[in-house]
C-alpha cells in the first residue's frame, strides 16, 4: 500500500551502494553526478531533490512504479540508498517521498483511471467516487464489493471497477464480457451475484470486441506498479489521492468510502 507512512523500498536499488570509479564520468549533457546518473540510467525516474542532514543531498523518485530515495555524499562520489533515521529513530525520508513522489504519482494515477475502461457500480451522482482494479475471478474483489455495499446502496459511493484479467485464463474473457455487455453494470452485478457458482458466462463476441480494452487496463495497472487485485484509489479527508493494495480491513472502509458505515 502507498500510504503516508510507507517505508522506502531498499531492495530495488541495492546495486546503488557503489562509488563513482564504477561509473562513467559525467558529460556536459549529463547534469547529475556520475553516481546519481548511474541510477537514472538503471531506470530511476527522478522526481526531485532535497537538503538532508550531514551535508547529504537527498533524491526521491520511482522505479517500476515504486518510490525510492537515496542520498549523495558531500564528496559527490557515493550514493546511499534507503531511509535516513535520526538519533531517536525517526524516519526523515518518508515525508519527502510522500511529497515529491507518492502524492504526484497518485494524482497522475487518478487522472489516468478516469480515462480507463471502467464499469460504474452505484449512483453516478454519488458524492464519493472510488476506483478499484477488479478481476472477475478475484475473491478479494468479491469481498471488497460486499464490504462496500452499504455505501453503494445508500447512494453515497460510486465504485468504478477498472476491469482487468490477470488471475486465471478465463479472467480476460469474463472482463471483456462485462465491458461489452449491453448493460455493463448489470453484467458486473451478475458476476458478483453468481461468483460462488463460477461467475458470468463468457460471450465470445464481446471478448473479440473488448479484449483490447481489458488489455489496456492490464497495462495501466502494470504501469502503476500494481500486481494484485483489488488495488483501490480514493480521496482522503483532505482531498488527496491515496491507494490501498489488497482487501481493506473493516476499520479502513470509512476513510476509503468517505463516511461512516450507513446504518
Amino acid at each position: 500500500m502507498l500510504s503516508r507512512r510507507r517505508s522506502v523500498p531498499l531492495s530495488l536499488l541495492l546495486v546503488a551502494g557503489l562509488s563513482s570509479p564504477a561509473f562513467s564520468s559525467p558529460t556536459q549533457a549529463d547534469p547529475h553526478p556520475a553516481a546519481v546518473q548511474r541510477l537514472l540510467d538503471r531506470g530511476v525516474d527522478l522526481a526531485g531533490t532535497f537538503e538532508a542532514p550531514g551535508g547529504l543531498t537527498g533524491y526521491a523518485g520511482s522505479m517500476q512504479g515504486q518510490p525510492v530515495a537515496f542520498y549523495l555524499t558531500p564528496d559527490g562520489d557515493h550514493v546511499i540508498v534507503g531511509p535516513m533515521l535520526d538519533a531517536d529513530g525517526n524516519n526523515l525520508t518518508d515525508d519527502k517521498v510522500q511529497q515529491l513522489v507518492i502524492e504526484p504519482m497518485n494524482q497522475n494515477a487518478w487522472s489516468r483511471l478516469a480515462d480507463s475502461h471502467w464499469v460504474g457500480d452505484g449512483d453516478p451522482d454519488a458524492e464519493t467516487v472510488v476506483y478499484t482494479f477488479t478481476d472477475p475471478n478475484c475473491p478479494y474483489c468479491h469481498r471488497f464489493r460486499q464490504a462496500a455495499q452499504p455505501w453503494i446502496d445508500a447512494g453515497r459511493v460510486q465504485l468504478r471497477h477498472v476491469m482487468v484479467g490477470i488471475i486465471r485464463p478465463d479472467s480476460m474473457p469474463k472482463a471483456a464480457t462485462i465491458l461489452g455487455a449491453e448493460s455493463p453494470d448489470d453484467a458486473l452485478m451478475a458476476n458478483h451475484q453468481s461468483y460462488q457458482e463460477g461467475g458470468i458466462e463468457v460471450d465470445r463476441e464481446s471478448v473479440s470486441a473488448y479484449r483490447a480494452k481489458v488489455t489496456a487496463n492490464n497495462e495501466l495497472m502494470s504501469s502503476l506498479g500494481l500486481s494484485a487485485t483489488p488495488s483501490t484509489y480514493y480521496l482522503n479527508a483532505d482531498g488527496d489521492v491515496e491507494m490501498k493494495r489488497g482487501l481493506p480491513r473493516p476499520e479502513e472502509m470509512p476513510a476509503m468510502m468517505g463516511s461512516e458505515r450507513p446504518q
Side-chain angles (χ1 to χ4, degrees), residues 5-22:
R5 302 310 307 164
R6 178 180 174 86
S7 297
V8 181
L10 296 175
S11 59
L12 289 176
L13 293 173
L14 288 177
V15 295
L18 303 172
S19 59
S20 61

Side-chain angles (χ1 to χ4, degrees), residues 120-154:
D121 181 7
D123 187 345
D125 296 322
E127 183 176 355
T128 298
V129 168
V130 176
Y131 289 96
T132 187
F133 284 99
T134 298
D135 185 302
N137 288 319
C138 172
Y140 300 108
C141 300
H142 178 67
R143 289 168 60 185
F144 177 46
R145 174 58 177 77
Q146 289 176 319
Q149 184 162 346
W151 285 271
I152 295 172
D153 288 350

Side-chain angles (χ1 to χ4, degrees), residues 187-253:
L188 178 74
M189 187 53 56
N191 185 75
H192 176 66
Q193 292 174 341
S194 62
Y195 178 81
Q196 300 298 339
E197 291 74 46
I200 196 168
E201 183 177 346
V202 170
D203 178 80
R204 295 298 171 187
E205 290 187 9
S206 293
V207 173
S208 178
Y210 285 83
R211 177 183 294 273
K213 292 186 177 182
V214 180
T215 298
N217 286 347
N218 287 357
E219 292 172 350
L220 171 60
M221 183 177 175
S222 178
S223 74
L224 296 176
L226 305 173
S227 59
T229 52
S231 289
T232 305
Y233 288 81
Y234 63 97
L235 299 179
N236 64 22
D238 296 324
D240 297 324
V241 182
E242 295 205 26
M243 193 272 283
K244 168 67 182 179
R245 298 172 188 263
L247 179 66
R249 297 188 299 273
E251 62 269 23
E252 294 176 312
M253 289 296 292

